[in-house]
Amino acid sequence: MEKMSASLVDAGYEVTNVDYPSHSASVEELSETILGATLARLDNKDSAAKIHFVTHSLGGILVRQYLSRHQVPQLGRVVMLAPPNQGSEVVDKLGDLKAFEWINGPSGKELGTSPESVPNKLGPVHFELGVIAGDRSINGINSRMIPGPDDGKVSVERTKVQGMKEHITLHATHPYIMKNREAIGQTVFFLGNGTFQHR
């Protein structure tokens, strides 16, 4: 997320770029420990007028999980890049394999498409959310498991969530969407205006 962070700094935002061991714990544990600690650090600084979130993939589910249980009084806007908001068929097909768990950890196994998966149990969002999906894949094997346009990990349709304010699709892949120039520009625009830039 370094390129995204630099662009947000250039746009006048103070940025905390949070790295976390995504394969080490469940969605709930990561949400509480990573986001809880980050927001506690921000509370110890001078009070921010607004706290925005920009996430990639699993990060969007961590934010949804955290905000389903906690109030963030200074909450601003949220932009999610390629989030599995309704899970991914790749997890349905491969989630029981040892190699999948070794690479993706407990949180990865929780991102299937069943009604009991973590993202589907979280329900609608109640914050100002813009979602950016990708429709370009460099992973043909995964894409064969996913119906409709996809980014190699998540279908465009499954990035959507009830309650979101806006949704756009860019010709970008899952692993690199956060470096995509248009995705960065649209993120900055949404945080400032509450809408994506529509041509």
Side-chain angles (χ1 to χ4, degrees), residues 87-90 104 137 139 142-143 146 150-155 174-175:
S88 171
E89 289 84 1
V90 174
N104 298 282
S137 174
N139 190 326
N142 282 0
S143 290
I146 304 171
D150 69 274
D151 64 6
K153 291 286 183 75
V154 186
S155 72
H174 191 89

Side-chain angles (χ1 to χ4, degrees), residues 98-121:
K98 283 288 183 188
F100 182 93
E101 185 173 2
W102 182 73
I103 294 168
N104 298 282
S107 60
K109 292 189 66 168
E110 294 176 316
L111 302 179
T113 65
S114 79
E116 295 306 306
S117 73
V118 168
N120 286 321
K121 284 167 65 177

